[in-house]
Amino acid sequence: MNKTKKLVSFILVFAMAIGIATCTQAASREEIANIHVSKAGDFKYWADNSPAKQTLVNYVKDVTNKKSANFIPVEDRIAVFDLDGTLICETTPSYFEWMMYLDRVLDDPTYNASPEDKDYAKVVKAAIDARHLPEDMELKEAIAQSKAFAGMTFPEYENYVKKFMETPAEGLTNLKRGESFYLPMVEVVSYLQANDFTVYIVSGSDRPALRILVDGIMKIAPNNVIGTDADILASHQNGKDGLDYVYAKDDRIIRGEFLRKNVKMNKVSNIAQEIGKQPVLAFGNSSGDASMFQYTIINNKYKSDAFTLLCDDLDRELGNQKKADSMAKSAKENGWVAISMKNDFKTIYGPEVKRAAAQ
């Protein structure tokens, strides 16, 4: 083969390789599940010079060193993570559970929502489209969402969540909602678990939905997931109080109506009630996590820290600079460690996931 033919062959092979690379989709759930970080050198998705990553690595090395004055026994190595905006995207164009609620009320042909429920879902959709969520909408939406799925058995709800996980993450290309985990933060969870930290998710989202979302992605047991709760009933309970009803052999567990929204101080209350120990590490991204941060670092008998994720990447993510600036200011005032998605993350979902062109 002469030099010209060799050159042509090389160009063709290179072009094919480029073509394959550019067709690559986001990391699959299976690929995300295979992320493993046990030591500092294993991180792939963080910028090499990230000060936030180095702060975390230094912390872990210190508190896991038996010779250190800051050594923390394994049983007390508790780390708590928010979900939306901390481990998974919350802006496609809104929280996973909010978008699933709209799908249920406005687009599910098997669900006969009342005119009032449809009207409120349209109000929520309009607020999401306008990128302006009134402060009281968080609680109202949680109540409406619980109502929309009330009466479903747990297998039915699981199937609905898994189906919705397959829908495209709006505003980003090559990404499904169930794959929209931040790869660098999945590395953090893996790193902590490899160093004998017990990781909990403490989120404002629906607890059963969280368990389904996380299952198969991170090694977090269902009982280590704390979220917003709806009532849980027997299928033949028919409004009877649980003190007056005995579960029957033909009963099945079904979802009921709203109980409690797990945000702000409620996160602290639920951590104290369900974990029974003060965390030593906390990760979040918004003012809704402030109480969890403060509970972690104030009056802790162990060395502790709080990390807040800044949504400051407007190119690779659907960021919000105003919110990022506000959280950066809060971090500086309160002694939290700020993580810049723009500067600290080498990638977020993988190089083939990009912002979709504006419509």
Side-chain angles (χ1 to χ4, degrees), residues 213-292:
L213 263 173
V214 171
D215 183 45
I217 289 283
M218 291 174 285
K219 295 180 176 65
I220 299 176
N223 55 304
N224 283 19
V225 174
I226 301 171
T228 290
D229 285 317
D231 204 359
I232 298 174
L233 306 166
S235 54
H236 295 99
Q237 196 167 337
N238 296 324
K240 286 187 179 180
D241 190 281
L243 297 174
D244 301 320
Y245 184 81
V246 177
Y247 191 87
K249 62 181 180 180
D250 58 345
D251 265 327
R252 301 178 74 185
I253 290 296
I254 61 172
R255 289 176 59 90
E257 302 264 337
F258 172 81
L259 281 180
R260 190 184 199 190
K261 185 69 176 175
N262 187 48
V263 293
K264 301 180 179 179
M265 183 57 202
N266 285 352
K267 287 193 174 189
V268 175
S269 301
N270 284 334
I271 289 170
Q273 181 174 330
E274 299 201 24
I275 301 176
K277 289 185 177 183
Q278 188 176 10
V280 295
L281 285 175
F283 297 81
N285 77 307
S286 73
S287 59
D289 299 310
S291 287
M292 183 171 73

Coordinates of all heavy atoms in Angstrom, one line a residue, residues 213-292:
L213 N -35.2 5.7 42.1 CA -34.2 6.5 41.3 C -32.8 6.0 41.6 O -32.0 5.9 40.7 CB -34.4 8.0 41.6 CG -35.2 8.8 40.6 CD1 -35.3 10.2 41.2 CD2 -34.5 8.9 39.2
V214 N -32.6 5.8 42.9 CA -31.2 5.6 43.4 C -30.8 4.1 43.2 O -29.7 3.7 43.0 CB -31.1 6.0 44.9 CG1 -29.8 5.5 45.5 CG2 -31.2 7.5 45.0
D215 N -31.8 3.2 43.3 CA -31.6 1.8 43.2 C -30.8 1.4 41.9 O -31.2 1.7 40.8 CB -32.9 1.0 43.2 CG -32.7 -0.5 43.2 OD1 -31.9 -1.0 44.0 OD2 -33.4 -1.2 42.4
G216 N -29.7 0.7 42.1 CA -28.9 0.3 41.0 C -27.9 1.3 40.5 O -27.0 1.0 39.7
I217 N -27.9 2.5 41.1 CA -27.0 3.6 40.8 C -25.9 3.7 41.9 O -24.7 3.7 41.6 CB -27.7 5.0 40.6 CG1 -28.5 5.0 39.3 CG2 -26.7 6.1 40.6 CD1 -27.7 5.2 38.1
M218 N -26.4 3.8 43.1 CA -25.5 3.9 44.2 C -25.9 2.9 45.3 O -27.1 2.5 45.4 CB -25.5 5.3 44.8 CG -24.9 6.3 43.9 SD -25.1 8.1 44.5 CE -26.9 8.3 44.2
K219 N -24.9 2.4 46.0 CA -25.2 1.3 47.0 C -25.7 2.0 48.3 O -25.0 2.1 49.3 CB -23.9 0.5 47.3 CG -23.4 -0.3 46.1 CD -22.1 -1.0 46.4 CE -21.7 -1.9 45.2 NZ -21.4 -1.1 44.1
I220 N -26.9 2.5 48.2 CA -27.6 3.1 49.3 C -28.9 2.3 49.6 O -29.8 2.2 48.8 CB -27.9 4.6 49.0 CG1 -26.6 5.4 48.8 CG2 -28.7 5.2 50.2 CD1 -26.8 6.8 48.4
A221 N -28.9 1.7 50.8 CA -30.1 0.9 51.2 C -31.4 1.7 51.2 O -31.3 2.9 51.5 CB -29.8 0.2 52.5
P222 N -32.5 1.1 51.0 CA -33.8 1.8 51.0 C -34.0 2.5 52.4 O -34.6 3.6 52.4 CB -34.8 0.7 50.8 CG -34.1 -0.3 50.0 CD -32.7 -0.3 50.5
N223 N -33.6 1.9 53.5 CA -33.8 2.5 54.8 C -32.8 3.6 55.0 O -32.9 4.3 56.1 CB -33.7 1.4 55.9 CG -32.4 0.7 55.9 OD1 -32.0 0.1 54.8 ND2 -31.6 0.7 57.0
N224 N -31.9 3.9 54.1 CA -31.0 5.0 54.2 C -31.5 6.2 53.3 O -30.7 7.1 53.0 CB -29.6 4.6 53.8 CG -28.9 3.9 54.9 OD1 -29.5 3.3 55.8 ND2 -27.5 3.8 54.9
V225 N -32.7 6.1 52.9 CA -33.3 7.2 52.1 C -34.4 7.8 52.9 O -35.3 7.2 53.3 CB -33.9 6.6 50.8 CG1 -34.6 7.7 50.0 CG2 -32.8 6.0 49.9
I226 N -34.2 9.1 53.1 CA -35.2 9.9 53.9 C -35.8 11.0 52.9 O -35.0 11.7 52.3 CB -34.6 10.6 55.1 CG1 -33.9 9.5 56.0 CG2 -35.6 11.4 55.8 CD1 -33.1 10.1 57.1
G227 N -37.1 11.0 52.8 CA -37.7 12.0 51.9 C -39.1 12.4 52.4 O -39.5 12.2 53.5
T228 N -39.8 13.1 51.5 CA -41.2 13.5 51.8 C -42.1 12.2 51.8 O -41.9 11.4 50.9 CB -41.6 14.5 50.7 OG1 -40.9 15.7 51.0 CG2 -43.1 14.8 50.8
D229 N -43.0 12.2 52.7 CA -43.8 11.0 52.9 C -45.2 11.2 52.6 O -45.8 12.3 53.0 CB -43.6 10.5 54.3 CG -42.3 9.8 54.6 OD1 -41.8 9.0 53.7 OD2 -41.7 10.0 55.6
A230 N -45.8 10.2 52.0 CA -47.3 10.1 52.0 C -47.7 9.0 52.9 O -46.9 8.2 53.3 CB -47.7 9.8 50.5
D231 N -49.0 8.9 53.3 CA -49.4 7.9 54.1 C -49.3 6.5 53.4 O -49.4 6.5 52.2 CB -50.9 8.2 54.5 CG -51.3 7.5 55.8 OD1 -50.5 6.8 56.4 OD2 -52.5 7.7 56.2
I232 N -49.2 5.5 54.2 CA -49.2 4.1 53.6 C -50.3 3.3 54.3 O -50.4 3.3 55.5 CB -47.8 3.4 53.9 CG1 -46.7 4.2 53.2 CG2 -47.9 2.0 53.4 CD1 -45.3 3.7 53.5
L233 N -51.2 2.7 53.4 CA -52.4 2.1 53.9 C -52.5 0.7 53.4 O -51.9 0.3 52.4 CB -53.6 3.0 53.5 CG -53.6 4.4 53.9 CD1 -54.6 5.2 53.1 CD2 -53.8 4.6 55.4
A234 N -53.5 0.0 54.0 CA -53.9 -1.3 53.4 C -55.0 -1.1 52.4 O -55.8 -0.1 52.5 CB -54.4 -2.2 54.5
S235 N -55.0 -1.9 51.3 CA -55.9 -1.6 50.2 C -57.4 -1.7 50.6 O -58.2 -1.2 49.9 CB -55.6 -2.6 49.1 OG -55.6 -3.9 49.5
H236 N -57.7 -2.4 51.7 CA -59.1 -2.6 52.1 C -59.4 -1.8 53.4 O -60.4 -2.0 54.1 CB -59.5 -4.0 52.3 CG -59.4 -4.8 51.0 ND1 -58.4 -5.6 50.7 CD2 -60.3 -4.9 50.0 CE1 -58.6 -6.2 49.5 NE2 -59.8 -5.8 49.1
Q237 N -58.5 -0.9 53.7 CA -58.6 -0.2 55.0 C -59.8 0.8 55.0 O -60.5 1.0 56.0 CB -57.3 0.6 55.3 CG -57.2 1.1 56.7 CD -55.8 1.5 57.0 OE1 -54.8 1.1 56.4 NE2 -55.6 2.4 58.0
N238 N -60.1 1.4 53.8 CA -61.3 2.2 53.6 C -61.5 3.3 54.6 O -62.6 3.4 55.1 CB -62.5 1.3 53.5 CG -62.5 0.4 52.3 OD1 -62.0 0.7 51.2 ND2 -63.0 -0.9 52.5
G239 N -60.5 4.0 54.9 CA -60.6 5.2 55.8 C -60.6 4.8 57.3 O -60.6 5.8 58.1
K240 N -60.5 3.6 57.7 CA -60.4 3.2 59.1 C -59.0 3.6 59.6 O -58.0 3.5 58.9 CB -60.6 1.7 59.3 CG -62.1 1.3 59.1 CD -62.2 -0.2 59.5 CE -63.6 -0.7 59.3 NZ -63.7 -2.1 59.7
D241 N -59.0 4.0 60.9 CA -57.8 4.3 61.6 C -56.9 3.0 61.7 O -57.5 1.9 61.9 CB -58.1 4.9 62.9 CG -56.8 5.4 63.6 OD1 -56.0 4.6 64.1 OD2 -56.6 6.7 63.6
G242 N -55.6 3.2 61.6 CA -54.8 2.0 61.7 C -54.9 1.3 63.0 O -54.5 0.1 63.1
L243 N -55.4 2.0 64.1 CA -55.5 1.3 65.4 C -56.8 0.4 65.4 O -56.9 -0.4 66.3 CB -55.7 2.4 66.5 CG -54.5 3.3 66.7 CD1 -54.9 4.4 67.7 CD2 -53.3 2.5 67.2
D244 N -57.6 0.6 64.4 CA -58.9 -0.2 64.4 C -58.9 -1.1 63.2 O -60.0 -1.8 63.0 CB -60.1 0.8 64.2 CG -60.1 1.8 65.4 OD1 -59.9 1.4 66.5 OD2 -60.4 3.0 65.1
Y245 N -57.8 -1.3 62.5 CA -57.8 -2.2 61.3 C -56.7 -3.2 61.4 O -55.6 -2.8 61.8 CB -57.7 -1.4 60.0 CG -57.8 -2.2 58.8 CD1 -59.1 -2.6 58.3 CD2 -56.7 -2.6 58.1 CE1 -59.2 -3.4 57.1 CE2 -56.8 -3.4 57.0 CZ -58.0 -3.8 56.5 OH -58.1 -4.6 55.4
V246 N -57.0 -4.4 61.0 CA -56.0 -5.5 61.0 C -55.7 -5.9 59.5 O -56.6 -6.1 58.8 CB -56.4 -6.7 61.8 CG1 -55.4 -7.8 61.6 CG2 -56.7 -6.4 63.2
Y247 N -54.5 -5.9 59.1 CA -54.1 -6.2 57.8 C -54.6 -7.6 57.4 O -54.3 -8.6 58.1 CB -52.5 -6.1 57.7 CG -52.0 -6.2 56.2 CD1 -51.9 -5.0 55.5 CD2 -51.6 -7.4 55.7 CE1 -51.4 -5.1 54.2 CE2 -51.1 -7.5 54.4 CZ -51.0 -6.3 53.7 OH -50.5 -6.4 52.4
A248 N -55.3 -7.7 56.3 CA -55.9 -9.0 55.9 C -55.0 -9.7 54.8 O -54.2 -9.1 54.2 CB -57.3 -8.7 55.3
K249 N -55.3 -11.0 54.6 CA -54.5 -11.8 53.7 C -54.6 -11.3 52.3 O -53.8 -11.6 51.4 CB -54.8 -13.3 53.9 CG -56.2 -13.7 53.5 CD -56.4 -15.1 53.7 CE -57.8 -15.6 53.4 NZ -58.0 -17.1 53.6
D250 N -55.8 -10.7 51.9 CA -56.0 -10.2 50.6 C -55.6 -8.7 50.4 O -55.9 -8.1 49.4 CB -57.4 -10.5 50.1 CG -58.4 -9.8 51.0 OD1 -58.1 -9.4 52.1 OD2 -59.6 -9.7 50.5
D251 N -55.0 -8.1 51.4 CA -54.6 -6.7 51.4 C -53.3 -6.5 50.6 O -52.5 -7.5 50.5 CB -54.4 -6.2 52.8 CG -55.7 -5.4 53.3 OD1 -56.4 -4.8 52.5 OD2 -55.9 -5.5 54.6
R252 N -53.2 -5.4 50.1 CA -51.9 -4.9 49.5 C -51.6 -3.5 50.1 O -52.6 -2.8 50.4 CB -52.0 -4.9 48.0 CG -52.3 -6.3 47.4 CD -52.4 -6.2 45.9 NE -51.1 -6.1 45.3 CZ -50.9 -5.9 44.0 NH1 -51.9 -5.8 43.2 NH2 -49.7 -5.9 43.5
I253 N -50.4 -3.2 50.1 CA -50.0 -1.8 50.6 C -50.2 -0.8 49.4 O -49.8 -1.1 48.3 CB -48.5 -1.8 51.0 CG1 -48.3 -2.6 52.3 CG2 -48.0 -0.4 51.2 CD1 -49.0 -2.0 53.5
I254 N -50.9 0.3 49.8 CA -51.1 1.3 48.7 C -50.7 2.7 49.3 O -50.5 2.9 50.5 CB -52.6 1.4 48.3 CG1 -53.5 1.7 49.6 CG2 -53.0 0.1 47.7 CD1 -54.9 2.0 49.2
R255 N -50.5 3.6 48.4 CA -50.1 5.0 48.7 C -51.3 5.7 49.2 O -52.4 5.6 48.6 CB -49.5 5.7 47.5 CG -48.1 5.2 47.1 CD -47.6 5.9 45.9 NE -47.6 7.4 46.1 CZ -46.5 8.0 46.5 NH1 -45.4 7.4 46.9 NH2 -46.5 9.3 46.7
G256 N -51.1 6.6 50.2 CA -52.2 7.4 50.7 C -51.9 8.9 50.4 O -51.2 9.2 49.5
E257 N -52.4 9.8 51.2 CA -52.3 11.2 51.0 C -51.0 11.7 51.7 O -50.4 11.0 52.5 CB -53.5 11.9 51.5 CG -54.8 11.5 50.8 CD -55.3 12.3 49.7 OE1 -54.9 13.5 49.6 OE2 -56.0 11.8 48.8
F258 N -50.7 13.0 51.5 CA -49.5 13.7 52.0 C -49.4 13.6 53.5 O -50.4 13.8 54.2 CB -49.6 15.1 51.5 CG -48.5 16.0 52.1 CD1 -47.2 16.0 51.6 CD2 -48.7 16.8 53.1 CE1 -46.2 16.8 52.1 CE2 -47.7 17.7 53.7 CZ -46.5 17.6 53.1
L259 N -48.2 13.4 54.0 CA -47.9 13.5 55.5 C -47.0 14.6 55.8 O -47.4 15.5 56.6 CB -47.3 12.2 55.9 CG -48.2 11.0 56.1 CD1 -47.4 9.8 56.6 CD2 -49.3 11.3 57.2
R260 N -45.8 14.7 55.3 CA -44.8 15.7 55.7 C -43.8 16.0 54.6 O -43.3 15.1 54.0 CB -44.1 15.2 57.0 CG -43.2 16.2 57.7 CD -42.5 15.6 58.8 NE -42.0 16.6 59.8 CZ -41.2 16.3 60.8 NH1 -40.7 15.1 60.9 NH2 -40.8 17.3 61.6
K261 N -43.5 17.3 54.4 CA -42.5 17.7 53.4 C -41.1 17.7 54.1 O -40.9 18.4 55.1 CB -42.9 19.1 52.9 CG -41.9 19.6 51.8 CD -42.1 18.8 50.5 CE -41.3 19.3 49.4 NZ -41.3 18.5 48.2
N262 N -40.2 17.0 53.5 CA -38.9 16.9 54.1 C -37.9 18.0 53.6 O -37.0 17.7 52.8 CB -38.3 15.5 53.9 CG -37.0 15.3 54.6 OD1 -36.9 15.6 55.8 ND2 -36.0 14.8 53.9
V263 N -38.1 19.2 54.0 CA -37.2 20.3 53.7 C -36.9 21.1 54.9 O -37.6 21.1 55.9 CB -37.8 21.2 52.5 CG1 -38.0 20.4 51.2 CG2 -39.2 21.8 53.0
K264 N -35.8 22.0 54.8 CA -35.5 22.9 55.8 C -35.3 22.2 57.1 O -34.6 21.2 57.2 CB -36.5 24.1 55.8 CG -36.5 24.8 54.4 CD -37.5 25.9 54.4 CE -37.5 26.6 53.0 NZ -38.4 27.7 52.9
M265 N -35.9 22.8 58.2 CA -35.7 22.2 59.5 C -36.3 20.8 59.6 O -35.8 20.0 60.4 CB -36.3 23.1 60.6 CG -36.1 22.6 62.0 SD -34.4 22.4 62.5 CE -34.6 21.3 63.9
N266 N -37.2 20.5 58.8 CA -37.8 19.1 58.8 C -36.7 18.1 58.5 O -36.8 16.9 58.9 CB -38.9 19.0 57.8 CG -40.2 19.6 58.4 OD1 -40.3 20.1 59.5 ND2 -41.2 19.7 57.5
K267 N -35.7 18.5 57.7 CA -34.6 17.5 57.4 C -33.9 17.2 58.7 O -33.5 16.0 58.9 CB -33.6 18.1 56.4 CG -34.2 18.2 54.9 CD -33.1 18.5 53.9 CE -33.6 18.4 52.5 NZ -32.6 18.5 51.5
V268 N -33.6 18.2 59.5 CA -32.9 18.0 60.7 C -33.7 17.1 61.7 O -33.2 16.1 62.3 CB -32.6 19.3 61.4 CG1 -31.9 19.1 62.8 CG2 -31.6 20.1 60.5
S269 N -35.0 17.4 61.8 CA -35.9 16.6 62.6 C -35.9 15.1 62.2 O -35.8 14.2 63.0 CB -37.3 17.1 62.6 OG -37.3 18.5 63.0
N270 N -36.0 14.9 60.9 CA -36.0 13.5 60.4 C -34.6 12.8 60.5 O -34.6 11.6 60.8 CB -36.4 13.5 58.9 CG -37.9 13.7 58.8 OD1 -38.7 13.4 59.7 ND2 -38.4 14.3 57.6
I271 N -33.5 13.5 60.3 CA -32.2 13.0 60.6 C -32.1 12.5 62.0 O -31.7 11.4 62.3 CB -31.1 14.0 60.2 CG1 -31.0 14.2 58.7 CG2 -29.7 13.5 60.8 CD1 -30.1 15.3 58.3
A272 N -32.5 13.4 62.9 CA -32.4 13.0 64.4 C -33.3 11.8 64.7 O -32.9 11.0 65.5 CB -32.8 14.2 65.2
Q273 N -34.5 11.8 64.1 CA -35.4 10.7 64.4 C -35.0 9.4 63.7 O -35.1 8.3 64.4 CB -36.8 11.1 63.9 CG -37.9 10.1 64.2 CD -39.3 10.6 63.9 OE1 -39.5 11.8 64.0 NE2 -40.2 9.7 63.5
E274 N -34.6 9.4 62.5 CA -34.4 8.2 61.7 C -33.0 7.7 61.8 O -32.8 6.5 61.7 CB -34.9 8.4 60.3 CG -36.3 8.8 60.2 CD -36.9 8.5 58.8 OE1 -36.3 7.6 58.1 OE2 -37.9 9.1 58.4
I275 N -32.0 8.6 61.9 CA -30.6 8.1 61.9 C -30.2 8.0 63.4 O -29.5 7.1 63.8 CB -29.7 9.1 61.2 CG1 -30.1 9.2 59.7 CG2 -28.2 8.6 61.3 CD1 -29.3 10.2 58.9
G276 N -30.6 9.0 64.2 CA -30.3 9.0 65.6 C -28.9 9.4 65.9 O -28.4 9.3 67.1
K277 N -28.1 9.9 64.9 CA -26.8 10.4 65.2 C -26.6 11.7 64.3 O -27.2 11.9 63.3 CB -25.7 9.4 64.7 CG -25.6 8.2 65.6 CD -24.5 7.3 65.2 CE -24.3 6.1 66.1 NZ -23.2 5.2 65.8
Q278 N -25.7 12.6 64.8 CA -25.4 13.8 64.1 C -24.4 13.5 63.0 O -23.4 12.8 63.2 CB -24.7 14.8 65.1 CG -24.5 16.2 64.5 CD -24.0 17.1 65.6 OE1 -23.6 16.7 66.7 NE2 -23.9 18.4 65.3
P279 N -24.8 13.9 61.8 CA -23.8 13.6 60.7 C -22.5 14.4 60.8 O -22.5 15.4 61.6 CB -24.6 14.1 59.4 CG -26.0 14.3 59.9 CD -26.0 14.6 61.3
V280 N -21.5 13.9 60.2 CA -20.2 14.6 60.2 C -19.9 15.3 58.8 O -19.1 16.1 58.7 CB -19.0 13.7 60.6 CG1 -19.2 13.2 62.0 CG2 -18.9 12.5 59.6
L281 N -20.7 14.9 57.8 CA -20.6 15.5 56.5 C -22.0 15.7 55.9 O -22.9 14.9 56.1 CB -19.8 14.6 55.5 CG -18.3 14.6 55.6 CD1 -17.7 13.6 54.6 CD2 -17.7 15.9 55.4
A282 N -22.2 16.9 55.3 CA -23.5 17.2 54.6 C -23.2 17.8 53.3 O -22.3 18.6 53.1 CB -24.3 18.1 55.5
F283 N -24.0 17.4 52.3 CA -23.9 17.9 50.9 C -25.3 18.4 50.5 O -26.3 17.6 50.6 CB -23.4 16.8 50.0 CG -22.0 16.3 50.3 CD1 -21.8 15.4 51.3 CD2 -20.9 16.8 49.6 CE1 -20.5 14.9 51.6 CE2 -19.6 16.4 49.9 CZ -19.4 15.4 50.9
G284 N -25.4 19.6 49.9 CA -26.6 20.1 49.4 C -26.4 21.2 48.4 O -25.3 21.3 47.9
N285 N -27.4 21.9 48.1 CA -27.3 22.9 47.0 C -28.1 24.2 47.2 O -28.1 25.0 46.3 CB -27.6 22.3 45.6 CG -29.1 22.1 45.4 OD1 -29.8 21.6 46.2 ND2 -29.5 22.7 44.3
S286 N -28.9 24.2 48.2 CA -29.8 25.4 48.3 C -30.1 25.8 49.7 O -29.7 25.1 50.7 CB -31.2 25.0 47.6 OG -31.9 24.1 48.5
S287 N -30.9 26.8 49.9 CA -31.2 27.3 51.2 C -32.0 26.3 52.0 O -32.1 26.3 53.2 CB -32.0 28.6 51.1 OG -33.2 28.5 50.4
G288 N -32.7 25.4 51.3 CA -33.5 24.3 51.9 C -32.6 23.3 52.6 O -33.1 22.5 53.4
D289 N -31.3 23.4 52.4 CA -30.3 22.5 53.0 C -29.6 23.2 54.2 O -28.7 22.6 54.9 CB -29.3 22.0 52.0 CG -29.9 21.2 50.9 OD1 -30.7 20.3 51.2 OD2 -29.7 21.4 49.7
A290 N -29.9 24.5 54.4 CA -29.1 25.3 55.4 C -29.2 24.7 56.8 O -28.2 24.6 57.5 CB -29.6 26.7 55.4
S291 N -30.4 24.3 57.2 CA -30.5 23.7 58.5 C -29.7 22.4 58.7 O -29.1 22.2 59.7 CB -32.0 23.5 58.9 OG -32.7 24.7 59.1
M292 N -29.7 21.6 57.6 CA -29.0 20.4 57.6 C -27.5 20.6 57.7 O -26.7 20.0 58.4 CB -29.3 19.5 56.4 CG -28.6 18.2 56.3 SD -29.3 17.1 54.9 CE -28.5 18.0 53.5

